[in-house]
Each structure stands twice: as C-alpha cells, then as structure tokens.
Amino acid sequence: MEKTALVLVAFSLAVAMAMPLVHSTIGDPKEVDEWLHKIRLAKQKMTRFHFYYHDIQNVSSMKVAQASITDKSPTLFGLTNMMDDPLTEGPELTSKQVGRAQGLYGLSGLNEFSLLVVMNLAFTSGEYNRSTLTILGRYESAQLTIQEMPIVGGSGVFRLAHGIASGRTYSRNATSGNAVVEFNIVAIHY
Ligand SMILES: *[C@@H]1O[C@H](CO)[C@@H](O)[C@H](O)[C@H]1NC(C)=O
Ligand SMILES: *[C@@H]1O[C@H](CO)[C@@H](O)[C@H](O)[C@H]1NC(C)=O
Ligand SMILES: *[C@@H]1O[C@H](CO)[C@@H](O)[C@H](O)[C@H]1NC(C)=O
C-alpha cells in the first residue's frame, strides 16, 4: 500500500510538473498529489451498500457484438451487451434510484452461462453523488446462488477503493432476458 502510494505520488508529481495548472480542482494532478499525501496518515473506512440492478433488454442494455458461433452456442458464447442500467433501493424499478451501472458484460463461458462483467457503478444520490466504484469480475447468470465479484477501484469518495460485490439474481425472465440482481457491496476506501 505504502509503496503503491509512493509510486502514485511520484507519478502525479511528474504529471504536475509536466502540465502546470492555473488553479486546482478535483482530479487535477496537484489536488490528487495533496490527497495522496493526506491519506498516508488516514485510516481506511468501510462502506456498505445494498441495492438492486435492473438489466432491461433494448431499453437500458443492448447487444453490441457477438461471435461467429454465438447463434449456435448453447451458452450464447461471445454475446456482448453495453448497459446503462438503473440501480434502485428496492427490487421494483419504480423505487428510488441511487445510481447507474454503466459498462458491459460478455458471455465468456463455452459450457456455462458465465459473464465477464466490467462496469462502473456511478452513484447519483446523497454524499456519493458523482462518485464511482468499478467492478471487474465473473458472474454466472443462470445460478441463483450469491456470486462474488471484485471491486477494483473507484473515484470521488471511493478513490483507491477495493472491495467485494456480492450479487444474487433476484428475478429473471428467460424469454426477454431481463434480470434484477440484488447487490450487497462492501467497499474499503479512505
Ligand atoms: C448530483 O450532482 C449533480 C451534478 O453536480 C447535480 O446536478 C445533482 O443535483 C446532484 N444530485 C443530488 C441528489 O445531490
Ligand atoms: C417475460 O418477457 C416476455 C417477453 O417480453 C413477456 O411477454 C412476459 O410477460 C414476461 N414475463 C413476466 C413474468 O414478466
Ligand atoms: C431487442 O432488439 C432486437 C433487434 O431489434 C430484437 O431482435 C430482439 O428480439 C429484441 N429483444 C427483446 C427482448 O425485445
């Protein structure tokens, strides 16, 4: 951690020197540098979230690519969707929206419905407004058990976050492909 922070400090210092800035704003190399110095003395926090993710075909989630074998594959291998899916407090789509899940998933299993998931959770409510968490993981969409995906980073209040996203398919319509996934998230950040 210490070493990584130092490398990041060195990197942002180099960037700051290469690009002098008129004033410091969030995300500016100078501001990032000051923040990195500060967190070396800071304690890590743990934040928990619970919300529902709604993947709605042709509305908020759309097919963008497929492989030559996708149509013949029993597991739709290669099918890839781009999404901007709503995240809500409750399982109903009409409950309060707390953010969006923007990213993509691709069917990456030749023998099972396993997804490669790459997404940013872009929060829009309260103190987390405009902060993001990034998930990169594997999700077996046909399983009804809880599945775990790593949180690999974040921005805003979630800078340098890591953590665990536990997802469980809450409901799924096999005809339309629409799904609601319940998420429990634990994020470690500063
Ligand atoms: C979130 O931030 C955006 C952009 O700054 C702002 O327009 C919006 O009102 C904020 N939402 C909440 C719930 O604070
Ligand atoms: C599942 O999706 C199909 C096709 O869009 C729709 O006709 C059907 O009503 C849906 N089933 C449920 C339980 O929502
Ligand atoms: C989504 O749109 C595509 C292209 O128009 C269509 O083939 C597909 O059946 C649609 N899927 C749903 C679930 O409506």
Side-chain angles (χ1 to χ4, degrees):
M1 183 58 240
E2 188 73 2
K3 199 173 164 203
T4 312
L6 285 174
V7 170
L8 285 169
V9 168
F11 173 74
S12 63
L13 273 177
V15 172
M17 282 187 288
M19 303 190 308
L21 290 156
V22 179
H23 54 252
S24 167
T25 54
I26 296 290
D28 273 355
K30 189 166 179 292
E31 187 273 336
V32 171
D33 179 39
E34 283 164 7
W35 183 83
L36 284 166
H37 273 100
K38 230 175 6 194
I39 64 152
R40 286 165 65 196
L41 307 167
K43 247 185 94 185
Q44 289 188 329
K45 291 180 201 134
M46 192 158 92
T47 300
R48 293 177 184 275
F49 289 101
H50 177 253
F51 53 74
Y52 293 83
Y53 155 102
H54 303 261
D55 195 57
I56 312 161
Q57 299 299 318
N58 289 350
V59 175
S60 62
S61 181
M62 277 160 223
K63 180 169 112 176
V64 291
Q66 69 169 60
S68 55
I69 65 160
T70 299
D71 287 338
K72 290 191 201 101
S73 163
T75 56
L76 302 173
F77 182 82
L79 177 67
T80 302
N81 266 45
M82 185 74 78
M83 61 177 151
D84 182 356
D85 283 338
L87 303 175
T88 60
E89 268 181 8
E92 293 81 29
L93 189 53
T94 49
S95 76
K96 188 186 174 213
Q97 196 179 123
V98 296
R100 311 286 297 191
Q102 299 174 333
L104 47 87
Y105 57 83
L107 283 136
S108 58
L110 284 167
N111 300 309
E112 74 288 308
F113 283 101
S114 76
L115 307 179
L116 163 69
V117 178
V118 186
M119 66 182 180
N120 294 314
L121 305 178
F123 297 101
T124 53
S125 90
E127 61 185 302
Y128 307 114
N129 191 17
R130 304 185 73 214
S131 293
T132 66
L133 282 173
T134 301
I135 290 177
L136 172 58
R138 178 174 185 270
Y139 192 83
E140 280 197 51
S141 57
Q143 298 287 332
L144 295 174
T145 52
I146 296 175
Q147 313 213 16
E148 187 182 311
M149 293 191 284
I151 292 168
V152 297
S155 70
V157 301
F158 298 119
R159 277 181 178 171
L160 297 186
H162 53 284
I164 298 156
S166 305
R168 183 184 67 94
T169 303
Y170 177 83
S171 65
R172 187 165 178 276
N173 182 329
T175 314
S176 64
N178 294 349
V180 178
V181 181
E182 179 179 9
F183 271 103
N184 274 290
I185 284 188
V186 184
I188 311 287
H189 60 106
Y190 291 96

